[in-house]
Amino acid sequence: MKEFQRVIKEMIDLFHEFNGIEQMKLKSARMNHVAAVDECMTKEQALILKLRGLEQEREKYQKEAGYEGMKFREILAAVSSEEREALYPLFDELSREMQLFQEVKEDAESVMRNNLRMIQKAMDSKNDIYSDKGKSKPETKHMTSRRV
């Protein structure tokens, strides 16, 4: 069970790191710093690979402890009171870190979607002033004469 607890602690640390990167990505997206957003996404990809490895370890140790396929709440109900006292704070902290990550991630995605809409709108308006051949469209002439 010690290895299981170690993996949970590592997952908490990893999600804490994820949260820092997501905060930076949100800040960068709000300031329209595309290179910084891209750098954050690269870091996230590396952390996702690490998370996958930790998830496999967690499943392995959870299976070895006899709790295969169980959710954390189910594990807490099945363990002794001593183990529950050790696991509950870990599960609670992991849950909080994951929830914070989800909230910040949604905020960052919302800002980036908004930025993309603004870019698309700007591109559409610029495309309206050019003809298909890349030259400026001539101004439309009115059907009536403006001379008096």
Side-chain angles (χ1 to χ4, degrees):
M1 201 58 144
K2 292 289 182 195
E3 288 299 314
F4 180 70
Q5 291 177 6
R6 178 193 57 80
V7 171
I8 298 299
K9 287 176 186 175
E10 286 184 31
M11 290 176 78
I12 291 168
D13 292 341
L14 186 70
F15 272 101
H16 187 74
E17 194 173 345
F18 259 127
N19 288 332
I21 291 172
E22 279 300 313
Q23 290 283 353
M24 179 62 76
K25 186 166 77 172
L26 176 60
K27 182 180 175 183
S28 299
R30 284 184 176 149
M31 297 171 59
N32 292 320
H33 292 146
V34 178
V37 171
D38 188 48
E39 184 180 325
C40 290
M41 293 174 86
T42 302
K43 290 177 183 178
E44 278 182 338
Q45 289 172 348
L47 290 179
I48 288 170
L49 292 175
K50 189 173 179 180
L51 179 62
R52 286 182 185 156
L54 285 174
E55 187 65 22
Q56 289 174 348
E57 275 188 77
R58 182 197 57 80
E59 288 174 356
K60 174 187 166 192
Y61 293 123
Q62 191 170 327
K63 182 179 180 179
E64 287 176 4
Y67 305 117
E68 182 179 14
M70 294 176 81
K71 296 180 180 178
F72 289 156
R73 287 186 183 138
E74 295 169 332
I75 293 171
L76 287 174
V79 297
S80 69
S81 61
E82 287 178 9
E83 289 177 322
R84 190 177 307 115
E85 286 180 28
L87 290 175
Y88 182 79
L90 292 175
F91 291 166
D92 190 48
E93 187 175 357
L94 179 60
S95 177
R96 279 194 313 269
E97 287 291 333
M98 290 172 68
Q99 185 177 0
L100 178 62
F101 170 74
Q102 189 64 36
E103 290 170 4
V104 176
K105 181 177 173 46
E106 288 172 3
D107 288 347
E109 286 176 353
S110 176
V111 169
M112 288 189 293
R113 275 193 304 271
N114 188 40
N115 288 351
L116 286 174
R117 277 194 298 272
M118 291 174 62
I119 290 169
Q120 186 63 46
K121 187 176 178 180
M123 288 176 58
D124 289 346
S125 68
K126 283 186 179 184
N127 287 338
D128 287 343
I129 63 170
Y130 294 104
S131 67
D132 293 335
K133 296 178 183 174
K135 295 182 180 178
S136 294
K137 288 183 180 178
E139 290 188 33
T140 56
K141 295 184 179 181
H142 294 281
M143 299 290 276
T144 57
S145 175
R146 293 188 177 203
R147 288 189 198 173
V148 180

